[in-house]
Amino acid sequence: MQNPAPENLDLILAALGDPARRRAVEFLKDGPRRAGEIAEAAGMSGPAMSRHLRVLRKTRLITEERVEEDARIKLYRLERAPFEALSGWLEEVSAFWGDSLQALKAHAESVVREEKGAGKSPPVRAARRSGP
Amino acid sequence: MQNPAPENLDLILAALGDPARRRAVEFLKDGPRRAGEIAEAAGMSGPAMSRHLRVLRKTRLITEERVEEDARIKLYRLERAPFEALSGWLEEVSAFWGDSLQALKAHAESVVREEKGAGKSPPVRAARRSGP
DNA sequence: TTATTATTTAACGCATACGTTAAATAATAT
DNA sequence: ATATTATTTAACGTATGCGTTAAATAATAA
């Protein structure tokens, strides 16, 4: 029970799908920054970025922390976990190719289909053509 | 000049950010499928999925091909390149952590800031506190 | 040609997302 | 208490995205 729930992937991907948020993330690559700096770096108003940050926060792509020495300041930093989750999903999808496994797998299935006629999710079923 | 243009990343991420499209992608993991099957698997009408497929096609996450034996049928299949582009970007962002490079980098910068007062993009600038 | 099957466009309604400016909070400093 | 700086929330207009049904294409079969 350490998995961040699968639905998060949609949120993570959607969060990163916005250009402004992606700019923010790339900006934070160089270290924790304040909201105002992020907004400026992304070329938009504070309020606009504030809402983007909220979206990123909700997915835990970023976290906030107050600076001890000056509690007025909040710093945002990238968080590792969501990126790893995404990375894991990508690998899972890409395992598809791995070692030319694609054709192999596809062919194997088509063979199975040919033999079984129609499985539970008939991948081609080729609109039964008139015959051989 | 083999790079798929950086802006594509936004498109790719946005494309994968939609649940229906992600379901489609995961469904295609098992091999090429027809549009109708994909729509059914995702639990939505053909037209709805058709537009999702167009989005995925635009990012080249999927490609279409006609079946020789029955040209009425078009099969969609996952394409490798965009996933690799995304994977590359992820690695680039994640290089940030790599080997506890984060704290190191962040600290180094804060030191530089202390010494220089204000660089070109002052990461903290700590709202100059009253002073030591 | 006419009919059949698969897929895409078109048109509609609805909801959500985005950015802006103005007002509200939060934390300190004087 | 009042002022200052940083950030968030509220309110507003506009635009884009999504799903549905109905109509249009595409490719073939009879």
Side-chain angles (χ1 to χ4, degrees), chain B residues 23-86:
Chain B
R23 263 176 264 146
V25 164
E26 286 177 352
F27 183 60
L28 287 178
K29 239 180 48 183
D30 297 329
R33 296 290 139 94
R34 294 195 332 242
E37 296 175 301
I38 304 171
E40 188 187 346
M44 62 174 46
S45 69
M49 180 50 76
S50 179
R51 275 174 39 210
H52 284 302
L53 292 176
R54 182 169 51 178
V55 172
L56 291 171
R57 227 182 309 149
K58 184 152 48 178
T59 65
R60 304 219 184 241
L61 278 160
I62 64 174
T63 54
E64 56 173 306
E65 57 173 331
R66 291 243 176 233
V67 173
E68 308 168 18
E69 307 169 352
D70 190 337
R72 280 177 300 185
I73 297 176
K74 265 194 290 191
L75 290 183
Y76 285 98
R77 79 166 63 239
L78 287 185
E79 218 51 59
R80 188 175 206 162
F83 289 97
E84 283 181 345
L86 179 48

Side-chain angles (χ1 to χ4, degrees), chain A residues 6-14 16-20 22 25-34 37 61 67 69-70 72-73 75 77-81 83-84 86-87 89-90 92-94 96-98 102 105-106 109 113 121-129, chain B residues 6-14 16-20 22 25-34 37 67 69-70 72-73 75 77-81 83-84 86-87 89-90 92-94 96-98 102 105-106 109 113-114 121-129:
Chain A
E7 48 159 13
N8 271 10
L9 265 181
D10 283 325
L11 294 181
I12 292 169
L13 282 161
L16 294 174
D18 183 273
R22 202 158 70 82
V25 164
E26 287 177 351
F27 184 60
L28 288 178
K29 240 180 48 184
D30 297 330
R33 296 290 139 92
R34 295 195 332 242
E37 298 175 301
L61 278 160
V67 173
E69 307 169 352
D70 190 337
R72 280 178 301 185
I73 297 176
L75 290 184
R77 80 166 62 238
L78 288 184
E79 218 51 58
R80 190 176 205 159
F83 289 98
E84 283 179 346
L86 179 48
S87 198
W89 179 76
L90 266 183
E92 195 183 301
V93 172
S94 300
F96 179 58
W97 292 287
Q102 175 185 23
K105 210 168 173 184
E109 290 200 14
R113 282 197 299 280
S121 64
V124 165
R125 208 176 57 233
R128 61 253 166 277
R129 43 188 209 279
Chain B
E7 48 158 13
N8 272 12
L9 267 179
D10 283 324
L11 294 180
I12 293 169
L13 283 161
L16 294 174
D18 183 273
R22 202 159 72 81
V25 164
E26 286 177 352
F27 183 60
L28 287 178
K29 239 180 48 183
D30 297 329
R33 296 290 139 94
R34 294 195 332 242
E37 296 175 301
V67 173
E69 307 169 352
D70 190 337
R72 280 177 300 185
I73 297 176
L75 290 183
R77 79 166 63 239
L78 287 185
E79 218 51 59
R80 188 175 206 162
F83 289 97
E84 283 181 345
L86 179 48
S87 197
W89 179 76
L90 265 184
E92 194 183 302
V93 172
S94 300
F96 179 59
W97 291 285
Q102 174 185 25
K105 212 170 172 183
E109 290 198 15
R113 282 197 298 282
E114 286 287 327
S121 67
V124 166
R125 206 174 61 232
R128 60 252 167 278
R129 42 191 210 279

Side-chain angles (χ1 to χ4, degrees), chain A residues 110-125, chain B residues 37:
Chain A
S110 77
V111 168
V112 170
R113 282 197 299 280
E114 287 288 326
E115 287 179 356
K116 288 199 174 182
K120 58 170 188 169
S121 64
V124 165
R125 208 176 57 233
Chain B
E37 296 175 301

